[in-house]
Amino acid sequence: MKKTLLATAIAGAAALAATSASAATVYNQDGTKLDIYGNVQLAYSYVDQYGGAEDSDLGDNGSTFGAKGEHKITDDIVGYFKAEWEYDADEAKNGGLDGGDQAYVGAKGSFGDARIGSWDPLMDDWIQDPITNNEFFDLSDSGTALAATSIDGVDVGDDVALREGDKLQYMSPVMGGLQFAVGSNFKGDGDTSDSAPDNISNSNQASFFAGAKYTVGGFSVAAVYDNLDQFEANTTDGQDLGDQYGITGQYTVDALRVAVKAERFAGEGDDTDVDFYGVGARYGYGMGDVYGAYQYVDAEDNSGYATSYGDDSFNEFNLGVTYNISSAMYTYVEYRQLDRAGDAGDGAAVGIYYGF
């Protein structure tokens, strides 16, 4: 699901802040609270295809319905849950909630935050999102490189989503501006359903990921590592797919946020690394955001990325603007260019979001 954001205006939008949309509380008594929330997202887009005509579509862009709750366990510990489902707003009569997006349960307090379930990878949240966490189009990243990778004909693209599920994570409290997180993604050999296939090695291998973030004033820097061991390939030599590394720095002043990123998919095979160097900015102009990003991609010749996209270096950029119609409703326009052969992946989109 695309992680949408209402306008990020940090200053100059005080009037909007007072009326921002929020979840509806259906129960709040004796230390227990339950909220329901959701959104409807629709967009018209066209995207160029290699060797063919552009694809145009009027469709859903990640509409969701969710519930979240918490209750007080002790004076210092709060238990909580979140469950979120997706549905197709453009074809709602043909089905209901047709897939889970994220679901987890955990506890938080002065000790930090511990959870288990399904949610976005730490690499997404701390490294990639500060550069491009947009409405419709994002730039590529080390997850894209993972999706383009195969070993001995084993395509892992369909399994990239498995990074989001079956996870355990501990995140520390902020201590003197420093925060860290550690966790694991586990896909065991007992998971054999078609909707959630085994990890490629069909074993009980688990990944390890960790990150650290330091914040002082309006500046923050974050670093994340993920060994991707849940994707160990089923080959005769047991070759791994590789690792993810990333570091992002961002600075916020008034209504402007600027971020820079260096990220790598370190392939296990020779000459298979892919590096991503990006810079992005977002400015809240009072009635919405204007934002953009540029990224240089350097792929080694034997990487699945270079093989899939026909070159070893790319200049990517995107631009967008949102406009707040009300506290719960906004519209946007976005454009992306990926520098691929035949302009593949280039496109534009216009959409609308209503949240409750």
Side-chain angles (χ1 to χ4, degrees):
M1 171 195 157
K2 183 67 64 178
K3 292 180 290 183
T4 54
L5 298 174
L6 285 171
T8 327
I10 302 160
L16 289 174
T19 58
S20 60
S22 61
T25 300
V26 296
Y27 183 84
N28 189 0
Q29 187 175 349
D30 299 328
T32 297
K33 182 181 179 182
L34 176 64
D35 295 337
I36 60 171
Y37 65 94
N39 57 68
V40 178
Q41 303 181 51
L42 292 164
Y44 171 77
S45 63
Y46 79 85
V47 181
D48 286 328
Q49 306 297 312
Y50 180 71
E54 64 191 32
D55 279 351
S56 60
D57 182 51
L58 175 60
D60 181 79
N61 188 38
S63 301
T64 60
F65 180 81
K68 59 183 179 180
E70 61 180 46
H71 76 282
K72 192 174 182 180
I73 299 175
T74 70
D75 289 341
D76 184 53
I77 300 176
V78 174
Y80 65 89
F81 86 94
K82 183 176 184 179
E84 193 169 274
W85 301 269
E86 295 180 332
Y87 63 93
D88 295 327
D90 60 323
E91 299 177 352
K93 69 178 182 179
N94 294 327
L97 301 176
D98 57 8
D101 183 36
Q102 55 183 323
Y104 51 83
V105 61
K108 58 186 177 180
S110 61
F111 68 92
D113 186 317
R115 66 171 64 168
I116 182 172
S118 174
W119 63 91
D120 292 327
L122 190 66
M123 186 70 68
D124 288 13
D125 290 341
W126 281 13
I127 303 301
Q128 299 162 2
D129 286 353
I131 304 298
T132 55
N133 181 20
N134 301 331
E135 304 301 327
F136 195 92
F137 289 115
D138 285 335
L139 302 183
S140 60
D141 51 49
S142 58
T144 313
L146 173 61
T149 300
S150 64
I151 296 179
D152 289 0
V154 181
D155 185 6
V156 304
D158 293 338
D159 291 299
V160 173
L162 298 182
R163 294 184 301 141
E164 300 182 5
D166 303 295
K167 285 197 301 188
L168 297 147
Q169 177 181 285
Y170 167 75
M171 185 172 292
S172 76
V174 179
M175 302 169 290
L178 179 65
Q179 186 176 34
F180 69 89
V182 294
S184 178
N185 175 219
F186 174 74
K187 297 299 297 183
D189 57 10
D191 189 354
T192 58
S193 66
D194 291 337
S195 61
D198 288 348
N199 62 320
I200 292 172
S201 62
N202 193 29
S203 71
N204 289 315
Q205 187 74 18
S207 75
F208 170 77
F209 63 86
K213 180 189 290 188
Y214 179 71
T215 304
V216 55
F219 173 78
S220 68
V221 60
V224 174
Y225 165 73
D226 192 329
N227 67 12
L228 298 174
D229 276 359
Q230 76 274 36
F231 291 113
E232 184 177 348
N234 188 14
T235 60
T236 56
D237 58 2
Q239 187 177 20
D240 291 338
L241 290 179
D243 305 272
Q244 285 178 292
Y245 304 85
I247 184 168
T248 293
Q250 57 182 317
Y251 181 69
T252 300
V253 54
D254 296 328
L256 175 67
R257 186 189 71 195
V258 179
V260 295
K261 176 191 77 170
E263 185 180 4
R264 165 172 285 192
F265 172 74
E268 188 71 15
D270 293 337
D271 200 25
T272 58
D273 296 347
V274 187
D275 293 312
F276 305 83
Y277 306 99
V279 57
R282 181 176 288 260
Y283 177 74
Y285 64 89
M287 292 300 295
D289 288 359
V290 58
Y291 48 92
Y294 165 78
Q295 181 170 253
Y296 175 71
V297 182
D298 183 16
E300 293 187 329
D301 292 340
N302 291 333
S303 67
Y305 200 94
T307 302
S308 297
Y309 301 122
D311 206 342
D312 58 5
S313 64
F314 309 89
N315 293 284
E316 306 175 346
F317 75 89
N318 61 4
L319 298 169
V321 60
T322 66
Y323 178 77
N324 294 325
I325 300 170
S326 69
S327 61
M329 189 175 184
Y330 65 90
T331 187
Y332 60 88
V333 177
E334 288 186 356
Y335 173 77
R336 180 180 70 180
Q337 184 171 306
L338 292 179
D339 193 24
R340 306 284 192 265
D343 297 329
D346 294 358
V350 57
I352 191 165
Y353 172 102
Y354 185 94
F356 58 90

